[in-house]
Amino acid sequence: MIAIDLNPALKPVAFLLGTWRGEGEGQYPTIKPFRYRGEIRFTHNGKAFIIYTQQTEAIDTGLPMHGEAGYLRLVGEGQVEFVIAQPIGFAEISLGQVSGRRIDVECTSVGRTPTAKPVTSISRSLWLDGETLRYQVKMGMEGAPLSQHLRASFHRLD
Amino acid sequence: MIAIDLNPALKPVAFLLGTWRGEGEGQYPTIKPFRYRGEIRFTHNGKAFIIYTQQTEAIDTGLPMHGEAGYLRLVGEGQVEFVIAQPIGFAEISLGQVSGRRIDVECTSVGRTPTAKPVTSISRSLWLDGETLRYQVKMGMEGAPLSQHLRASFHRLD
């Protein structure tokens, strides 16, 4: 392994770096509310983006639920671009900003495979509250406006 | 860790599973040809998709070059959907098929951030040639038709 210095562009989001474990709750107008456990990893390789993965699992069985993977790009003056692939058949292109220890992004486009659910929009907020990393995800679907979907809090493992 | 059975839908692409190391060469009408080393991982979590990551590095310095992450969905009758996020600011939604030990997909959409290069199309082929995993990637950009871009061969580590 080569030790790689943090790209200076990443300083505003360096608070994300590491592995985080936590729990969350999901809801949507069309489904029964649910709870989950999860792990988030934010890593870097010296370039001006953060590598992101999240995997969630059922609290009772430990079986995998949702996963996603992508990249948070720092493109100057607090502006961020978030590209995320999801195994349920879609990919988000989102834009937003980092302000203090908080990142807010909104989709500018959602790419979907023919078998994906008709997700049309996603907004994500992610913020550090003391030592706790919290996020909130809102989702819109065909016929349903942007609505509260996920809320979770995580603690750093390393 | 919980041992998780392979989803039966993944049998046609089970030949991909594992970690692969290899080398490749890149070219494009607008750039100088280059070579790279890389690692590919295909894993699963019991669901009907394969989790994919690739990271490449410079042969001389070992420094990271390109990375990508996504999901290969098996959606029946040999049809596949490939969702891939790239840290250079775009996301591919590709469709295709698996036939024997070969997968061919073509983009149906490319989502891009405002700062991404104007990639408009990508086609990917991936096949097992004896014990060697080979891939080929063609890319089109605004003002440039789909052209040969990457060619690489990998051997299984585990």
Side-chain angles (χ1 to χ4, degrees), chain A:
Chain A
M1 294 294 292
I2 302 169
I4 293 179
D5 289 339
L6 190 71
N7 190 296
L10 294 188
K11 279 184 190 165
V13 294
F15 70 92
L16 294 174
L17 291 168
T19 301
W20 305 77
R21 290 282 303 176
E23 290 196 7
E25 55 190 44
Q27 64 182 95
Y28 203 68
T30 53
I31 59 171
K32 195 177 142 191
F34 62 96
R35 292 190 55 80
Y36 58 92
R37 265 201 312 259
E39 185 166 298
I40 297 175
R41 288 184 196 178
F42 291 108
T43 59
H44 78 99
N45 66 7
K47 299 195 177 188
F49 57 81
I50 282 186
I51 303 162
Y52 161 68
T53 60
Q54 184 176 179
Q55 178 62 52
T56 72
E57 61 197 34
I59 287 180
D60 49 352
T61 63
L63 287 173
M65 291 174 69
H66 178 69
E68 54 190 39
Y71 305 94
L72 181 69
R73 290 160 56 80
L74 275 282
V75 293
E77 297 177 1
Q79 299 302 299
V80 301
E81 300 176 345
F82 212 169
V83 180
I84 300 176
Q86 295 205 18
I88 53 177
F90 70 90
E92 303 163 50
I93 300 288
S94 293
L95 308 182
Q97 58 284 317
V98 53
S99 174
R101 297 291 178 263
R102 181 182 179 95
I103 295 165
D104 296 282
V105 298
E106 289 195 18
C107 265
T108 55
S109 75
V110 178
R112 298 201 309 253
T113 66
T115 65
K117 287 181 184 163
V119 175
T120 54
S121 60
I122 292 184
S123 81
R124 295 175 182 257
S125 296
L126 187 65
W127 67 99
L128 198 63
D129 175 8
E131 299 293 306
T132 304
L133 184 67
R134 301 186 190 277
Y135 71 71
Q136 179 172 324
V137 175
K138 294 180 182 177
M139 183 171 72
M141 298 180 79
E142 279 174 14
L146 199 66
S147 303
Q148 172 61 32
H149 181 40
L150 303 171
R151 202 185 304 267
S153 56
F154 285 70
H155 293 91
R156 193 190 290 276
L157 278 191
D158 62 40

Side-chain angles (χ1 to χ4, degrees), chain B:
Chain B
M1 294 294 290
I2 301 169
I4 293 179
D5 290 339
L6 190 70
N7 190 295
L10 294 188
K11 279 183 191 166
V13 294
F15 69 93
L16 294 175
L17 291 168
T19 301
W20 304 79
R21 290 282 304 177
E23 291 196 8
E25 55 191 45
Q27 64 181 96
Y28 203 68
T30 52
I31 59 170
K32 195 175 144 193
F34 62 95
R35 293 190 55 79
Y36 58 93
R37 268 200 309 260
E39 184 166 299
I40 298 175
R41 289 184 195 178
F42 291 109
T43 59
H44 79 98
N45 67 7
K47 299 194 177 189
F49 58 81
I50 281 185
I51 302 161
Y52 161 68
T53 60
Q54 182 175 180
Q55 178 62 52
T56 73
E57 61 197 34
I59 287 180
D60 48 355
T61 62
L63 287 174
M65 292 175 69
H66 177 70
E68 53 190 39
Y71 304 94
L72 181 69
R73 290 160 56 80
L74 274 284
V75 293
E77 295 176 3
Q79 301 301 300
V80 301
E81 301 176 345
F82 212 169
V83 180
I84 299 176
Q86 295 204 20
I88 52 177
F90 71 89
E92 303 164 50
I93 300 289
S94 293
L95 307 182
Q97 58 285 317
V98 51
S99 173
R101 296 292 178 261
R102 182 181 178 95
I103 295 165
D104 296 282
V105 298
E106 289 194 18
C107 266
T108 55
S109 76
V110 178
R112 298 201 309 253
T113 66
T115 65
K117 286 181 183 163
V119 175
T120 53
S121 59
I122 291 184
S123 81
R124 296 175 182 257
S125 296
L126 188 65
W127 67 99
L128 198 64
D129 175 9
E131 300 292 307
T132 303
L133 184 66
R134 299 186 191 278
Y135 70 72
Q136 181 173 325
V137 175
K138 294 181 182 176
M139 183 171 72
M141 297 179 79
E142 279 173 14
L146 200 66
S147 303
Q148 172 61 32
H149 180 41
L150 304 171
R151 204 185 303 268
S153 56
F154 285 70
H155 292 91
R156 192 190 291 276
L157 280 191
D158 61 38

